[in-house]
Amino acid sequence: MTQGRPLLNRRLAEFGTTIFAEMSALAVRTGAINLGQGFPDTDGPEEVREAAVRALRAGHGNQYPPGPGVPELRTAITAHQQRRYALTYDPDTEVLVTAGATEAIAATLLALLEPGDEVVALEPYYDSYAACIAMAGATRVPVTLHPEPSSGTYRLDLDELRTAVTPRTRLLLLNTPHNPTGTVLTREELGAIAELACERDLLVVTDEVYEHLVFEGEHLPLAGFPGMRERTVTISSAGKTFSFTGWKVGWVTAPRELVSAVRSAKQFLTYVASGPFQYAVAEALRLPDSYFDEFRADMRAKRDLLADGLERAGFRVFRPAGTYFVTTDIRPLGESDGFAFCRALPERCGVVAIPNAVFYDHREQGAPFVRFAFCKRTGVLEEAVSRLKTLAA
Protein backbone atom coordinates (compact mmCIF):
# COMPACT_ATOMS: atom_id res chain seq x y z
CA MET A 1 0.00 0.00 0.00
CA THR A 2 1.57 3.28 -1.14
CA GLN A 3 2.78 5.41 1.79
CA GLY A 4 0.99 3.08 4.18
CA ARG A 5 -2.45 4.56 3.50
CA PRO A 6 -5.52 3.28 1.60
CA LEU A 7 -5.66 4.05 -2.10
CA LEU A 8 -9.28 5.23 -1.99
CA ASN A 9 -9.60 8.66 -0.39
CA ARG A 10 -11.39 8.81 2.93
CA ARG A 11 -14.33 10.78 1.55
CA LEU A 12 -15.32 7.76 -0.55
CA ALA A 13 -14.20 5.02 1.83
CA GLU A 14 -17.76 4.16 2.82
CA PHE A 15 -18.81 3.65 -0.79
CA GLY A 16 -17.87 0.30 -2.26
CA THR A 17 -19.50 -1.67 -5.06
CA THR A 18 -23.13 -0.64 -5.27
CA ILE A 19 -25.90 -2.99 -4.22
CA PHE A 20 -27.26 -2.69 -7.77
CA ALA A 21 -24.14 -4.32 -9.22
CA GLU A 22 -24.25 -7.05 -6.60
CA MET A 23 -27.90 -7.88 -7.12
CA SER A 24 -27.74 -7.69 -10.91
CA ALA A 25 -24.82 -10.13 -10.86
CA LEU A 26 -26.87 -12.38 -8.59
CA ALA A 27 -29.76 -12.23 -11.07
CA VAL A 28 -27.46 -13.34 -13.90
CA ARG A 29 -25.93 -16.15 -11.84
CA THR A 30 -29.28 -17.56 -10.72
CA GLY A 31 -31.38 -16.77 -13.78
CA ALA A 32 -33.71 -14.70 -11.60
CA ILE A 33 -36.05 -11.96 -12.83
CA ASN A 34 -34.30 -8.69 -12.07
CA LEU A 35 -36.76 -6.28 -10.44
CA GLY A 36 -33.89 -4.58 -8.63
CA GLN A 37 -32.24 -2.01 -10.89
CA GLY A 38 -34.58 0.57 -12.37
CA PHE A 39 -34.18 0.28 -16.11
CA PRO A 40 -36.84 -0.74 -18.66
CA ASP A 41 -36.55 -4.01 -20.58
CA THR A 42 -37.97 -2.44 -23.77
CA ASP A 43 -36.89 0.57 -25.81
CA GLY A 44 -38.82 3.81 -26.02
CA PRO A 45 -40.68 5.30 -28.98
CA GLU A 46 -39.50 4.17 -32.40
CA GLU A 47 -39.67 7.72 -33.80
CA VAL A 48 -37.25 8.90 -31.10
CA ARG A 49 -34.80 6.09 -31.84
CA GLU A 50 -35.00 6.91 -35.54
CA ALA A 51 -34.28 10.56 -34.72
CA ALA A 52 -31.00 9.43 -33.16
CA VAL A 53 -30.19 7.39 -36.28
CA ARG A 54 -30.88 10.40 -38.49
CA ALA A 55 -28.64 12.57 -36.35
CA LEU A 56 -25.81 10.04 -36.59
CA ARG A 57 -26.12 9.76 -40.36
CA ALA A 58 -26.32 13.53 -40.80
CA GLY A 59 -23.18 14.00 -38.71
CA HIS A 60 -25.04 15.94 -36.02
CA GLY A 61 -23.20 15.62 -32.74
CA ASN A 62 -20.63 13.08 -33.93
CA GLN A 63 -17.98 15.56 -32.83
CA TYR A 64 -18.03 17.59 -29.61
CA PRO A 65 -21.41 19.30 -29.20
CA PRO A 66 -21.56 22.79 -27.66
CA GLY A 67 -20.67 22.84 -23.97
CA PRO A 68 -24.14 23.87 -22.74
CA GLY A 69 -25.83 21.32 -25.05
CA VAL A 70 -27.07 21.53 -28.63
CA PRO A 71 -29.37 24.54 -29.19
CA GLU A 72 -32.22 22.31 -30.43
CA LEU A 73 -32.35 20.44 -27.12
CA ARG A 74 -31.96 23.51 -24.95
CA THR A 75 -34.84 25.14 -26.80
CA ALA A 76 -36.97 21.99 -26.44
CA ILE A 77 -36.26 21.88 -22.69
CA THR A 78 -37.37 25.48 -22.19
CA ALA A 79 -40.48 24.87 -24.29
CA HIS A 80 -41.29 21.80 -22.16
CA GLN A 81 -40.92 23.77 -18.92
CA GLN A 82 -43.12 26.55 -20.26
CA ARG A 83 -45.81 24.28 -21.67
CA ARG A 84 -46.00 21.95 -18.68
CA TYR A 85 -45.37 24.25 -15.76
CA ALA A 86 -45.46 27.86 -17.01
CA LEU A 87 -41.78 28.23 -16.08
CA THR A 88 -39.78 30.47 -18.39
CA TYR A 89 -36.05 29.92 -18.93
CA ASP A 90 -33.58 31.38 -21.43
CA PRO A 91 -32.27 28.47 -23.55
CA ASP A 92 -28.93 30.23 -24.03
CA THR A 93 -28.10 31.02 -20.40
CA GLU A 94 -30.42 29.09 -18.09
CA VAL A 95 -30.16 25.52 -19.40
CA LEU A 96 -27.28 23.05 -19.20
CA VAL A 97 -27.32 19.59 -20.79
CA THR A 98 -25.51 16.87 -18.83
CA ALA A 99 -24.55 13.21 -19.05
CA GLY A 100 -27.76 12.09 -17.39
CA ALA A 101 -29.26 13.37 -14.16
CA THR A 102 -26.45 11.69 -12.22
CA GLU A 103 -23.86 14.04 -13.69
CA ALA A 104 -26.22 16.98 -13.18
CA ILE A 105 -26.41 16.12 -9.48
CA ALA A 106 -22.64 15.65 -9.19
CA ALA A 107 -21.79 18.87 -11.01
CA THR A 108 -24.34 20.86 -9.04
CA LEU A 109 -23.16 19.66 -5.65
CA LEU A 110 -19.46 19.99 -6.53
CA ALA A 111 -20.09 23.53 -7.77
CA LEU A 112 -22.23 24.82 -4.93
CA LEU A 113 -20.76 23.17 -1.83
CA GLU A 114 -17.69 23.93 0.27
CA PRO A 115 -16.12 21.62 2.87
CA GLY A 116 -18.08 22.01 6.09
CA ASP A 117 -21.38 22.89 4.41
CA GLU A 118 -24.41 20.83 5.37
CA VAL A 119 -26.89 19.36 2.90
CA VAL A 120 -30.34 18.37 4.12
CA ALA A 121 -31.66 15.44 2.07
CA LEU A 122 -34.78 13.33 2.31
CA GLU A 123 -34.00 9.82 3.52
CA PRO A 124 -34.10 7.22 1.96
CA TYR A 125 -32.26 8.71 -0.99
CA TYR A 126 -30.71 7.78 -4.34
CA ASP A 127 -27.24 6.47 -3.53
CA SER A 128 -25.31 8.96 -5.67
CA TYR A 129 -26.52 11.83 -3.46
CA ALA A 130 -24.42 10.64 -0.54
CA ALA A 131 -21.36 10.02 -2.71
CA CYS A 132 -21.53 13.43 -4.39
CA ILE A 133 -21.99 15.24 -1.08
CA ALA A 134 -18.95 13.36 0.24
CA MET A 135 -16.85 14.23 -2.83
CA ALA A 136 -17.67 17.89 -2.24
CA GLY A 137 -16.44 17.60 1.34
CA ALA A 138 -19.84 18.55 2.72
CA THR A 139 -21.94 16.81 5.37
CA ARG A 140 -25.27 15.15 4.65
CA VAL A 141 -28.07 15.64 7.13
CA PRO A 142 -30.88 13.15 6.51
CA VAL A 143 -34.53 13.89 7.22
CA THR A 144 -36.42 10.62 7.19
CA LEU A 145 -39.65 10.06 5.31
CA HIS A 146 -41.83 8.00 7.65
CA PRO A 147 -43.93 5.03 6.51
CA GLU A 148 -47.61 5.17 7.39
CA PRO A 149 -48.94 1.60 7.09
CA SER A 150 -52.53 2.72 7.62
CA SER A 151 -52.46 4.86 4.45
CA GLY A 152 -49.83 2.86 2.59
CA THR A 153 -47.71 5.98 2.02
CA TYR A 154 -44.58 7.75 3.25
CA ARG A 155 -44.79 11.27 4.62
CA LEU A 156 -42.43 14.15 5.33
CA ASP A 157 -42.42 15.62 8.84
CA LEU A 158 -42.02 19.34 8.20
CA ASP A 159 -41.04 20.01 11.81
CA GLU A 160 -38.15 17.56 11.46
CA LEU A 161 -37.11 19.34 8.29
CA ARG A 162 -37.09 22.73 9.99
CA THR A 163 -35.10 21.35 12.93
CA ALA A 164 -32.50 19.85 10.59
CA VAL A 165 -31.63 23.27 9.12
CA THR A 166 -28.75 24.93 10.95
CA PRO A 167 -26.52 27.97 10.26
CA ARG A 168 -24.22 25.56 8.37
CA THR A 169 -26.95 24.40 5.97
CA ARG A 170 -26.10 25.41 2.41
CA LEU A 171 -28.84 23.66 0.47
CA LEU A 172 -31.80 21.32 0.51
CA LEU A 173 -31.65 18.31 -1.80
CA LEU A 174 -35.11 17.09 -2.78
CA ASN A 175 -36.43 14.30 -4.98
CA THR A 176 -40.08 14.32 -6.01
CA PRO A 177 -41.53 12.01 -7.21
CA HIS A 178 -39.32 10.20 -4.72
CA ASN A 179 -37.15 7.15 -5.29
CA PRO A 180 -37.47 4.66 -3.60
CA THR A 181 -40.68 5.39 -1.64
CA GLY A 182 -42.86 6.66 -4.51
CA THR A 183 -43.88 9.73 -2.49
CA VAL A 184 -45.04 12.79 -4.42
CA LEU A 185 -44.67 15.92 -2.31
CA THR A 186 -47.93 17.85 -2.04
CA ARG A 187 -48.57 21.51 -2.76
CA GLU A 188 -48.74 22.16 1.00
CA GLU A 189 -45.44 20.39 1.67
CA LEU A 190 -43.67 22.15 -1.19
CA GLY A 191 -45.09 25.48 -0.07
CA ALA A 192 -43.69 24.94 3.43
CA ILE A 193 -40.31 23.94 1.97
CA ALA A 194 -40.29 27.08 -0.18
CA GLU A 195 -41.05 29.28 2.83
CA LEU A 196 -38.24 27.62 4.81
CA ALA A 197 -35.75 28.06 1.97
CA CYS A 198 -36.59 31.74 1.59
CA GLU A 199 -36.58 32.36 5.34
CA ARG A 200 -33.17 30.70 5.81
CA ASP A 201 -31.72 31.84 2.47
CA LEU A 202 -31.06 28.31 1.25
CA LEU A 203 -30.35 26.97 -2.20
CA VAL A 204 -32.51 24.04 -3.28
CA VAL A 205 -31.62 21.25 -5.70
CA THR A 206 -34.61 19.27 -6.96
CA ASP A 207 -34.28 15.92 -8.73
CA GLU A 208 -37.42 15.60 -10.86
CA VAL A 209 -36.49 12.73 -13.21
CA TYR A 210 -39.83 10.98 -12.54
CA GLU A 211 -41.87 14.11 -13.30
CA HIS A 212 -43.97 12.28 -15.93
CA LEU A 213 -44.66 9.27 -13.72
CA VAL A 214 -47.21 10.60 -11.22
CA PHE A 215 -50.23 8.36 -10.63
CA GLU A 216 -51.87 10.19 -7.72
CA GLY A 217 -51.64 13.92 -7.17
CA GLU A 218 -49.61 16.09 -9.52
CA HIS A 219 -46.01 17.03 -10.12
CA LEU A 220 -45.34 20.59 -9.00
CA PRO A 221 -41.81 21.96 -9.64
CA LEU A 222 -40.53 23.80 -6.59
CA ALA A 223 -39.13 26.51 -8.88
CA GLY A 224 -42.71 27.61 -9.53
CA PHE A 225 -43.35 28.60 -5.89
CA PRO A 226 -42.95 32.21 -4.71
CA GLY A 227 -39.33 33.20 -4.21
CA MET A 228 -37.97 29.88 -5.47
CA ARG A 229 -37.01 30.38 -9.10
CA GLU A 230 -33.90 32.37 -8.20
CA ARG A 231 -32.64 29.80 -5.67
CA THR A 232 -33.63 26.46 -7.26
CA VAL A 233 -31.60 24.14 -9.50
CA THR A 234 -34.07 21.82 -11.23
CA ILE A 235 -32.72 18.53 -12.63
CA SER A 236 -34.41 16.09 -14.98
CA SER A 237 -33.52 13.65 -17.74
CA ALA A 238 -34.78 11.69 -20.73
CA GLY A 239 -33.97 8.20 -19.47
CA LYS A 240 -36.98 7.57 -17.25
CA THR A 241 -39.56 9.34 -19.43
CA PHE A 242 -38.55 7.92 -22.81
CA SER A 243 -37.03 4.55 -21.79
CA PHE A 244 -33.60 5.24 -23.27
CA THR A 245 -31.57 5.11 -20.05
CA GLY A 246 -28.34 4.25 -21.88
CA TRP A 247 -28.32 7.51 -23.80
CA LYS A 248 -27.50 9.47 -20.63
CA VAL A 249 -29.10 12.80 -21.49
CA GLY A 250 -30.01 14.98 -18.54
CA TRP A 251 -30.34 18.68 -17.91
CA VAL A 252 -30.33 21.52 -15.42
CA THR A 253 -32.62 24.54 -15.51
CA ALA A 254 -31.84 27.43 -13.17
CA PRO A 255 -31.05 31.16 -13.17
CA ARG A 256 -28.01 32.24 -15.15
CA GLU A 257 -25.71 32.53 -12.11
CA LEU A 258 -26.50 29.03 -10.87
CA VAL A 259 -26.19 27.45 -14.33
CA SER A 260 -22.84 29.19 -14.78
CA ALA A 261 -21.61 27.76 -11.47
CA VAL A 262 -22.78 24.24 -12.32
CA ARG A 263 -21.22 24.44 -15.78
CA SER A 264 -17.88 25.37 -14.22
CA ALA A 265 -17.85 21.98 -12.49
CA LYS A 266 -19.52 20.00 -15.29
CA GLN A 267 -16.92 21.00 -17.90
CA PHE A 268 -14.26 19.11 -15.93
CA LEU A 269 -16.37 15.96 -15.54
CA THR A 270 -17.51 14.79 -18.99
CA TYR A 271 -17.04 18.16 -20.73
CA VAL A 272 -19.74 17.10 -23.20
CA ALA A 273 -21.59 13.86 -23.95
CA SER A 274 -24.32 12.11 -25.93
CA GLY A 275 -24.13 14.42 -28.98
CA PRO A 276 -26.43 12.64 -31.47
CA PHE A 277 -28.82 11.59 -28.72
CA GLN A 278 -29.35 15.21 -27.75
CA TYR A 279 -31.01 15.86 -31.11
CA ALA A 280 -33.27 12.83 -30.60
CA VAL A 281 -34.28 13.92 -27.09
CA ALA A 282 -35.18 17.35 -28.48
CA GLU A 283 -37.72 15.57 -30.68
CA ALA A 284 -38.88 13.38 -27.80
CA LEU A 285 -39.73 16.41 -25.66
CA ARG A 286 -41.97 17.64 -28.45
CA LEU A 287 -44.05 14.44 -28.55
CA PRO A 288 -47.81 15.05 -28.15
CA ASP A 289 -49.49 14.86 -24.77
CA SER A 290 -50.95 11.51 -25.77
CA TYR A 291 -47.50 9.92 -25.51
CA PHE A 292 -47.04 11.06 -21.92
CA ASP A 293 -50.61 10.06 -20.99
CA GLU A 294 -50.24 6.57 -22.48
CA PHE A 295 -46.81 6.08 -20.90
CA ARG A 296 -48.19 6.99 -17.47
CA ALA A 297 -51.26 4.77 -17.90
CA ASP A 298 -49.09 1.82 -18.91
CA MET A 299 -46.87 2.26 -15.86
CA ARG A 300 -49.90 2.66 -13.57
CA ALA A 301 -51.26 -0.68 -14.81
CA LYS A 302 -47.88 -2.31 -14.20
CA ARG A 303 -47.70 -0.75 -10.74
CA ASP A 304 -51.07 -2.24 -9.85
CA LEU A 305 -50.18 -5.64 -11.31
CA LEU A 306 -47.01 -5.91 -9.22
CA ALA A 307 -48.43 -4.28 -6.08
CA ASP A 308 -51.46 -6.59 -6.09
CA GLY A 309 -49.19 -9.60 -6.56
CA LEU A 310 -46.91 -8.54 -3.74
CA GLU A 311 -49.88 -8.14 -1.41
CA ARG A 312 -51.08 -11.64 -2.30
CA ALA A 313 -47.57 -12.95 -1.59
CA GLY A 314 -47.79 -11.57 1.96
CA PHE A 315 -45.89 -8.29 1.78
CA ARG A 316 -47.21 -5.04 3.23
CA VAL A 317 -47.17 -2.79 0.17
CA PHE A 318 -46.66 0.97 -0.01
CA ARG A 319 -48.37 1.67 -3.33
CA PRO A 320 -46.39 4.52 -4.93
CA ALA A 321 -47.97 7.79 -6.02
CA GLY A 322 -45.11 8.19 -8.50
CA THR A 323 -41.89 6.65 -9.97
CA TYR A 324 -41.68 3.03 -11.10
CA PHE A 325 -40.74 1.44 -7.78
CA VAL A 326 -42.82 -0.29 -5.11
CA THR A 327 -41.57 -0.37 -1.51
CA THR A 328 -42.67 -3.32 0.63
CA ASP A 329 -42.43 -4.28 4.29
CA ILE A 330 -41.19 -7.85 4.77
CA ARG A 331 -42.16 -8.20 8.44
CA PRO A 332 -45.55 -9.79 7.66
CA LEU A 333 -43.51 -12.59 6.08
CA GLY A 334 -41.67 -13.12 9.36
CA GLU A 335 -38.55 -11.34 8.06
CA SER A 336 -36.81 -8.20 9.31
CA ASP A 337 -33.41 -8.05 7.54
CA GLY A 338 -33.82 -6.67 4.03
CA PHE A 339 -30.24 -7.50 3.03
CA ALA A 340 -30.54 -11.15 4.00
CA PHE A 341 -34.00 -11.38 2.44
CA CYS A 342 -32.88 -9.92 -0.92
CA ARG A 343 -29.75 -12.08 -1.07
CA ALA A 344 -31.83 -15.20 -0.47
CA LEU A 345 -34.81 -14.27 -2.69
CA PRO A 346 -33.27 -15.30 -6.05
CA GLU A 347 -32.69 -18.83 -4.81
CA ARG A 348 -36.03 -18.98 -2.99
CA CYS A 349 -38.26 -17.89 -5.85
CA GLY A 350 -36.21 -16.51 -8.73
CA VAL A 351 -36.74 -12.76 -8.26
CA VAL A 352 -34.27 -9.98 -7.44
CA ALA A 353 -35.14 -6.91 -5.34
CA ILE A 354 -33.15 -4.20 -3.54
CA PRO A 355 -32.94 -3.72 0.26
CA ASN A 356 -34.01 -0.18 1.09
CA ALA A 357 -31.47 0.06 3.91
CA VAL A 358 -28.81 0.97 1.31
CA PHE A 359 -30.66 4.27 0.83
CA TYR A 360 -30.47 5.23 4.52
CA ASP A 361 -27.91 6.71 6.89
CA HIS A 362 -30.10 5.32 9.66
CA ARG A 363 -29.88 1.73 8.42
CA GLU A 364 -32.22 0.46 11.11
CA GLN A 365 -35.00 2.67 9.72
CA GLY A 366 -34.84 0.94 6.36
CA ALA A 367 -33.97 -2.57 7.53
CA PRO A 368 -37.35 -4.28 6.97
CA PHE A 369 -38.16 -2.61 3.63
CA VAL A 370 -37.47 -3.91 0.12
CA ARG A 371 -37.89 -2.19 -3.27
CA PHE A 372 -39.16 -3.76 -6.50
CA ALA A 373 -39.07 -2.09 -9.94
CA PHE A 374 -42.08 -2.43 -12.26
CA CYS A 375 -40.63 -0.83 -15.43
CA LYS A 376 -40.66 -4.23 -17.12
CA ARG A 377 -42.79 -6.01 -19.72
CA THR A 378 -46.18 -7.15 -18.45
CA GLY A 379 -45.32 -10.81 -19.05
CA VAL A 380 -42.16 -10.46 -16.98
CA LEU A 381 -44.11 -8.92 -14.09
CA GLU A 382 -46.76 -11.65 -14.31
CA GLU A 383 -44.05 -14.32 -14.09
CA ALA A 384 -42.42 -12.52 -11.15
CA VAL A 385 -45.78 -12.38 -9.34
CA SER A 386 -46.29 -16.09 -10.00
CA ARG A 387 -42.87 -16.87 -8.51
CA LEU A 388 -43.34 -14.60 -5.50
CA LYS A 389 -46.64 -16.19 -4.49
CA THR A 390 -44.66 -19.19 -3.20
CA LEU A 391 -43.65 -16.97 -0.26
CA ALA A 392 -47.26 -17.07 0.97
CA ALA A 393 -47.42 -20.87 0.85
Side-chain angles (χ1 to χ4, degrees):
M1 195 74 69
T2 305
Q3 299 177 341
R5 84 182 209 198
L7 295 176
L8 183 63
N9 77 66
R10 64 180 180 273
R11 289 179 180 174
L12 292 177
E14 67 178 287
F15 307 103
T17 302
T18 71
I19 192 67
F20 303 104
E22 177 188 345
M23 300 310 296
S24 291
L26 187 56
V28 171
R29 193 176 82 239
T30 61
I33 295 172
N34 189 353
L35 302 186
Q37 198 161 1
F39 59 86
D41 58 0
T42 57
D43 288 342
E46 179 65 20
E47 60 265 45
V48 177
R49 182 165 57 180
E50 285 305 306
V53 173
R54 288 198 310 274
L56 282 164
R57 288 177 174 157
H60 294 158
N62 292 338
Q63 308 306 324
Y64 294 134
V70 302
E72 292 86 345
L73 178 54
R74 286 183 278 122
T75 298
I77 290 166
T78 58
H80 172 273
Q81 296 301 89
Q82 177 65 46
R83 183 175 76 254
R84 293 277 172 178
Y85 311 120
L87 288 170
T88 300
Y89 291 96
D90 183 335
D92 293 325
T93 61
E94 297 185 316
V95 181
L96 176 65
V97 178
T98 59
T102 301
E103 189 196 33
I105 292 162
T108 299
L109 296 180
L110 289 170
L112 300 180
L113 295 173
E114 297 277 3
D117 286 341
E118 291 180 352
V119 177
V120 175
L122 303 185
E123 180 186 61
Y125 42 68
Y126 179 47
D127 59 350
S128 80
Y129 295 173
C132 292
I133 292 168
M135 284 191 284
T139 300
R140 63 183 183 271
V141 179
V143 172
T144 306
L145 295 175
H146 298 287
E148 295 181 347
S150 60
S151 63
T153 61
Y154 279 72
R155 288 269 59 91
L156 171 63
D157 186 322
L158 291 168
D159 290 332
E160 286 187 27
L161 180 66
R162 292 186 190 96
T163 300
V165 174
T166 76
R168 293 182 298 278
T169 304
R170 169 69 164 170
L171 63 81
L172 305 178
L173 177 54
L174 304 180
N175 174 209
T176 182
H178 182 264
N179 172 19
T181 68
T183 299
V184 175
L185 295 178
T186 65
R187 183 180 298 275
E188 292 71 27
E189 288 168 332
L190 290 167
I193 291 168
E195 289 178 7
L196 176 63
C198 293
E199 175 191 328
R200 303 301 293 271
D201 194 22
L202 303 175
L203 297 172
V204 183
V205 178
T206 62
D207 176 353
E208 302 180 10
V209 297
Y210 297 100
E211 61 184 303
H212 292 292
L213 280 174
V214 175
F215 312 120
E216 274 88 43
E218 60 181 326
H219 176 64
L220 300 168
L222 190 66
F225 283 72
M228 293 309 297
R229 188 190 185 284
E230 60 267 31
R231 65 179 66 249
T232 301
V233 176
T234 302
I235 293 169
S236 194
S237 77
K240 302 301 189 294
T241 299
F242 302 109
S243 299
F244 289 112
T245 58
W247 289 7
K248 298 300 291 180
V249 179
W251 52 84
V252 165
T253 53
R256 178 197 300 256
E257 295 79 7
L258 285 171
V259 165
S260 178
V262 175
R263 185 180 174 188
S264 294
K266 183 261 189 298
Q267 67 188 340
F268 297 113
L269 296 175
T270 61
Y271 179 53
V272 291
S274 312
F277 299 130
Q278 292 189 33
Y279 291 92
V281 172
E283 294 196 27
L285 286 171
R286 292 193 291 268
L287 287 172
D289 288 347
S290 59
Y291 166 77
F292 299 92
D293 294 341
E294 291 166 10
F295 173 64
R296 184 168 53 252
D298 177 62
M299 283 295 178
R300 179 186 287 112
K302 291 175 176 179
R303 175 200 67 170
D304 293 341
L305 190 165
L306 182 58
D308 291 346
L310 289 166
E311 286 177 345
R312 290 194 299 271
F315 295 87
R316 179 179 294 120
V317 173
F318 294 86
R319 198 168 296 243
T323 77
Y324 47 48
F325 301 107
V326 175
T327 287
T328 62
D329 188 338
I330 60 175
R331 285 174 291 190
L333 295 167
E335 305 274 357
S336 60
D337 183 341
F339 280 100
F341 179 84
C342 287
R343 286 173 174 142
L345 193 62
E347 296 285 358
R348 290 177 67 183
C349 57
V351 177
V352 163
I354 295 293
N356 276 28
V358 299
F359 305 121
Y360 285 80
D361 277 359
H362 303 106
R363 289 290 178 96
E364 72 285 353
Q365 296 268 9
F369 301 106
V370 168
R371 191 194 79 175
F372 294 85
F374 54 88
C375 50
K376 311 296 180 182
R377 285 169 289 140
T378 298
V380 171
L381 295 175
E382 289 172 342
E383 175 60 22
V385 165
S386 177
R387 296 182 183 190
L388 288 164
K389 70 182 181 183
T390 61
L391 295 171

